[in-house]
Amino acid sequence: IIPRAVRDVFTHMRKSKAKCTAYVSFLQIYNEKIFDLLRDPGRIHPLQVKEDAGTGFYVDGLSEFGVSSAFDCLKLVRIGDDRRAVRSTNMNLMSSRSHTVFQMVMETAPEDAEEGDGRVIKSKLNLVDLAGSEKWNVHEHLTGAHVSELTNINLSLHTLGRCIEALCLKSSGGASTAGHY
């Protein structure tokens, strides 16, 4: 989905009469810690989520790269994807062990903006790839690192499911939606 979305965004930007600029970032959440896939391949420096009253939530220290084409953007996707935490499992030789968020920020000057007035419209596209849940195999010896990965992946997927359920309950006025996420 990411390559298709990137190509569509750049096709739209090329067709637009407005001046458009794009920036990308790529992070992974591994064992409940956030790492920059484009600047920290060894997962040495975990990042923190912070909140700013004006701009909202952000990941402090996350790199952001200016891109001018789908090719540039997809090159960064490949770099980040190659750095993602993976492990061999019974179902997959290269199973992702982290959740990733690929973000594109597009800045466009409004059509009625005059040169140098500083007005921009910002748009964000967040594309998320979740690690798949994995069942515990009680007959298999698991290392401490593997146990930690399994626990954290399944916990975060469970938490996400509960968030989605709460949002469904809120939008449905409290009607039960159990099991519908």
Side-chain angles (χ1 to χ4, degrees), residues 109-125:
E111 289 185 24
D112 64 342
E114 294 183 23
E115 185 70 30
D117 78 359
R119 291 187 298 150
V120 295
I121 298 170
K122 284 189 176 185
S123 303
K124 285 186 185 179
L125 176 62

Side-chain angles (χ1 to χ4, degrees), residues 59-83:
V59 178
D60 191 33
L62 182 64
S63 63
E64 194 172 70
F65 291 84
V67 290
S68 58
S69 68
F71 178 82
D72 292 344
C73 195
L74 294 174
K75 184 177 174 184
L76 292 171
V77 169
R78 279 190 293 285
I79 289 169
D81 200 42
D82 287 344
R83 295 174 175 176

Side-chain angles (χ1 to χ4, degrees), residues 98-110:
S98 66
H99 309 300
T100 61
V101 179
F102 176 77
Q103 182 178 83
M104 286 186 73
V105 175
M106 287 74 61
E107 294 181 348
T108 307

